[in-house]
Amino acid sequence: MSTVTFSRLIEAPADELWRVFTDLPARPRWLCHVHAVEVLATAPGGTDPPSALGAGAGAGAMAAPGPGAGFGIGTVWRERRTGPDGTGMVEEFAVREAAPPRRLVISSSGDGVDYLTTYTFIPVEARRSGRRRSEPRRPGRGRTVLTVSHEGVPTARYGRLLAVVFGGLAARAGEGALRRDLADLATATEPGRIDPATAA
């Protein structure tokens, strides 16, 4: 399957994006297409995974430690979300590499295909409009170019067939979902917005 790579400039510092992105229990509060998250395993040395509350407790509700607690290599979680075609789906993700706040690699498995998604957070110096060249630079809020690379690797014979027949379609669907997630992340980290980690 082909690899899809794209970037988005987000008006937030890399460490803030990392904090919001890795706060797993809060994901349903800022990701429009995610309805619930269940943490299955935390990184070695992290806190034990919390138990998901029953469906009647509210979308995505769960008892959990603070943002990023226990997040790292070995973290595994399951998301219930709306797929690109509008149907409900459940996806399981595992952290393969974590170098906060610069690089994150996550894997997930599909039907005959394994997916690897790499997120790279590149800080960009914030500009202040109207500043003259002679004026000293003032520290800004910070901006980040977030680059996503999504790759599908067939794991079975029929997976290779799917890659040939549906590879382009699957790549476009995956790219669309990831672009929506990045748009939600940009919205969640806008200045003055209520912190999704503390919102009710």
Side-chain angles (χ1 to χ4, degrees):
M1 262 184 196
S2 57
T3 299
V4 173
T5 302
F6 61 92
S7 298
R8 180 183 177 116
L9 176 65
I10 301 179
E11 298 289 336
D15 57 350
E16 183 179 345
L17 293 180
W18 182 278
R19 180 184 58 78
V20 172
F21 193 88
T22 61
D23 185 358
L24 299 179
R27 288 170 76 83
R29 292 198 286 271
W30 63 269
L31 279 167
C32 295
H33 299 280
V34 173
H35 310 296
V37 171
E38 179 185 3
V39 179
L40 304 176
T42 56
T47 56
D48 290 334
S51 299
L53 299 177
M62 78 178 1
F71 187 93
I73 297 172
T75 299
V76 180
W77 77 95
R78 188 179 292 141
E79 290 182 355
R80 194 168 65 240
R81 63 162 58 213
T82 302
D85 61 354
T87 60
M89 59 189 295
V90 176
E91 287 187 281
E92 190 172 303
F93 302 93
V95 177
R96 300 296 178 206
E97 183 181 334
R102 297 302 172 93
R103 180 178 163 86
L104 177 62
V105 181
I106 296 172
S107 66
S108 60
S109 295
D111 190 15
V113 181
D114 280 347
Y115 297 98
L116 205 62
T117 307
T118 302
Y119 298 85
T120 307
F121 302 75
I122 303 170
V124 177
E125 185 175 324
R127 292 186 214 167
R128 193 164 61 87
S129 60
R131 186 181 66 82
R132 295 187 185 128
R133 290 184 183 218
S134 58
E135 289 182 57
R137 291 187 183 273
R138 294 181 184 172
R141 181 169 181 261
R143 303 188 302 168
T144 305
V145 173
L146 181 48
T147 299
V148 179
S149 179
H150 184 66
E151 176 185 11
V153 180
T155 58
R157 214 174 261 180
Y158 68 90
R160 292 185 182 90
L161 177 62
L162 287 174
V164 171
V165 178
F166 299 111
L169 180 62
R172 283 192 297 278
E175 178 182 359
L178 288 166
R179 284 186 184 274
R180 283 194 304 272
D181 289 355
L182 259 59
D184 288 347
L185 180 61
T187 300
T189 54
E190 286 176 351
R193 186 175 173 86
I194 295 173
D195 188 336
T198 59

Short mmCIF file of all heavy atoms in Angstrom, two decimals, residues 41 46 49 68 75 77 84 97 103 111 114 122 125 132 149 152 168 170 175 196:
data_model
loop_
_atom_site.label_atom_id
_atom_site.label_comp_id
_atom_site.label_asym_id
_atom_site.label_seq_id
_atom_site.Cartn_x
_atom_site.Cartn_y
_atom_site.Cartn_z
N ALA A 41 -3.38 -0.67 28.17
CA ALA A 41 -2.07 -0.84 28.81
C ALA A 41 -1.36 0.50 28.82
O ALA A 41 -1.51 1.29 27.89
CB ALA A 41 -1.23 -1.88 28.07
N GLY A 46 4.35 3.48 34.16
CA GLY A 46 3.20 4.38 34.23
C GLY A 46 2.18 3.84 35.21
O GLY A 46 2.37 2.82 35.85
N PRO A 49 -3.83 1.08 33.83
CA PRO A 49 -4.90 1.65 33.01
C PRO A 49 -6.19 1.73 33.78
O PRO A 49 -6.51 0.84 34.55
CB PRO A 49 -5.01 0.64 31.85
CG PRO A 49 -4.40 -0.61 32.35
CD PRO A 49 -3.36 -0.20 33.35
N GLY A 68 -1.30 12.69 29.74
CA GLY A 68 -0.04 12.05 29.41
C GLY A 68 0.46 11.03 30.42
O GLY A 68 1.49 10.40 30.22
N THR A 75 2.10 1.78 25.50
CA THR A 75 0.72 2.21 25.73
C THR A 75 -0.17 1.64 24.63
O THR A 75 0.17 1.73 23.45
CB THR A 75 0.61 3.74 25.76
OG1 THR A 75 1.41 4.25 26.81
CG2 THR A 75 -0.83 4.18 25.96
N TRP A 77 -4.39 1.49 23.47
CA TRP A 77 -5.75 1.93 23.74
C TRP A 77 -6.68 1.58 22.59
O TRP A 77 -6.25 1.31 21.48
CB TRP A 77 -5.79 3.42 24.05
CG TRP A 77 -5.69 4.36 22.89
CD1 TRP A 77 -6.72 4.95 22.20
CD2 TRP A 77 -4.48 4.85 22.27
NE1 TRP A 77 -6.24 5.76 21.21
CE2 TRP A 77 -4.87 5.72 21.23
CE3 TRP A 77 -3.12 4.63 22.50
CZ2 TRP A 77 -3.94 6.38 20.42
CZ3 TRP A 77 -2.20 5.27 21.70
CH2 TRP A 77 -2.60 6.13 20.68
N PRO A 84 -14.93 6.84 8.09
CA PRO A 84 -15.10 7.77 6.97
C PRO A 84 -16.42 7.58 6.22
O PRO A 84 -16.94 8.53 5.65
CB PRO A 84 -13.91 7.44 6.05
CG PRO A 84 -12.89 6.82 6.95
CD PRO A 84 -13.68 6.08 8.00
N GLU A 97 6.87 4.24 19.31
CA GLU A 97 8.00 5.14 19.55
C GLU A 97 7.43 6.44 20.11
O GLU A 97 6.40 6.92 19.63
CB GLU A 97 8.75 5.40 18.24
CG GLU A 97 9.98 6.27 18.36
CD GLU A 97 10.66 6.51 17.02
OE1 GLU A 97 10.51 5.67 16.11
OE2 GLU A 97 11.33 7.55 16.90
N ARG A 103 8.30 13.47 18.31
CA ARG A 103 8.01 12.36 17.39
C ARG A 103 7.21 11.28 18.09
O ARG A 103 7.51 10.91 19.24
CB ARG A 103 9.32 11.78 16.85
CG ARG A 103 9.17 10.63 15.87
CD ARG A 103 10.56 10.19 15.40
NE ARG A 103 10.54 8.88 14.79
CZ ARG A 103 10.28 8.64 13.50
NH1 ARG A 103 9.99 9.66 12.71
NH2 ARG A 103 10.29 7.42 13.02
N ASP A 111 -7.79 -5.52 8.63
CA ASP A 111 -8.06 -6.85 8.08
C ASP A 111 -7.00 -7.18 7.03
O ASP A 111 -7.11 -6.77 5.88
CB ASP A 111 -9.46 -6.87 7.47
CG ASP A 111 -9.90 -8.29 7.11
OD1 ASP A 111 -9.27 -9.25 7.58
OD2 ASP A 111 -10.87 -8.41 6.34
N ASP A 114 -1.39 -4.05 8.37
CA ASP A 114 -0.94 -3.32 9.56
C ASP A 114 -0.66 -1.89 9.15
O ASP A 114 -0.09 -1.64 8.07
CB ASP A 114 0.34 -3.95 10.14
CG ASP A 114 0.06 -5.19 10.98
OD1 ASP A 114 -1.12 -5.42 11.30
OD2 ASP A 114 1.02 -5.91 11.30
N ILE A 122 7.21 19.84 14.62
CA ILE A 122 8.35 20.71 14.35
C ILE A 122 8.01 22.14 14.77
O ILE A 122 7.15 22.78 14.15
CB ILE A 122 8.74 20.68 12.86
CG1 ILE A 122 9.03 19.24 12.43
CG2 ILE A 122 9.93 21.59 12.58
CD1 ILE A 122 9.18 19.06 10.95
N GLU A 125 9.09 29.35 14.77
CA GLU A 125 9.12 30.60 15.53
C GLU A 125 7.90 31.43 15.19
O GLU A 125 7.57 31.63 14.02
CB GLU A 125 10.39 31.38 15.20
CG GLU A 125 10.54 32.63 16.04
CD GLU A 125 11.86 33.31 15.78
OE1 GLU A 125 12.86 32.63 15.56
OE2 GLU A 125 11.86 34.56 15.79
N ARG A 132 9.07 45.74 13.40
CA ARG A 132 10.14 46.24 12.55
C ARG A 132 11.38 45.38 12.74
O ARG A 132 11.58 44.79 13.80
CB ARG A 132 10.45 47.69 12.92
CG ARG A 132 9.29 48.62 12.64
CD ARG A 132 9.72 50.06 12.87
NE ARG A 132 8.58 50.93 12.72
CZ ARG A 132 8.20 51.82 13.60
NH1 ARG A 132 8.87 51.97 14.71
NH2 ARG A 132 7.16 52.57 13.37
N SER A 149 2.65 10.85 8.61
CA SER A 149 2.96 9.86 7.57
C SER A 149 2.23 8.57 7.93
O SER A 149 2.41 8.03 9.02
CB SER A 149 4.47 9.62 7.50
OG SER A 149 4.76 8.64 6.51
N GLY A 152 0.40 1.63 5.12
CA GLY A 152 -0.25 0.34 5.30
C GLY A 152 0.63 -0.77 4.74
O GLY A 152 1.11 -0.68 3.61
N GLY A 168 -5.45 2.69 -3.21
CA GLY A 168 -5.64 4.13 -3.35
C GLY A 168 -6.84 4.63 -2.58
O GLY A 168 -6.79 5.67 -1.92
N ALA A 170 -8.28 3.18 0.09
CA ALA A 170 -8.00 3.08 1.53
C ALA A 170 -7.07 4.20 1.98
O ALA A 170 -7.25 4.78 3.06
CB ALA A 170 -7.39 1.72 1.85
N GLU A 175 -6.27 9.10 4.93
CA GLU A 175 -5.79 10.48 4.93
C GLU A 175 -6.90 11.44 5.36
O GLU A 175 -6.68 12.36 6.16
CB GLU A 175 -5.28 10.88 3.54
CG GLU A 175 -4.80 12.32 3.48
CD GLU A 175 -4.35 12.74 2.09
OE1 GLU A 175 -4.40 11.91 1.15
OE2 GLU A 175 -3.98 13.91 1.94
N PRO A 196 -9.23 20.96 26.89
CA PRO A 196 -10.02 19.73 26.81
C PRO A 196 -9.74 18.76 27.93
O PRO A 196 -10.55 17.90 28.23
CB PRO A 196 -9.61 19.15 25.43
CG PRO A 196 -8.30 19.76 25.13
CD PRO A 196 -8.31 21.11 25.79
#
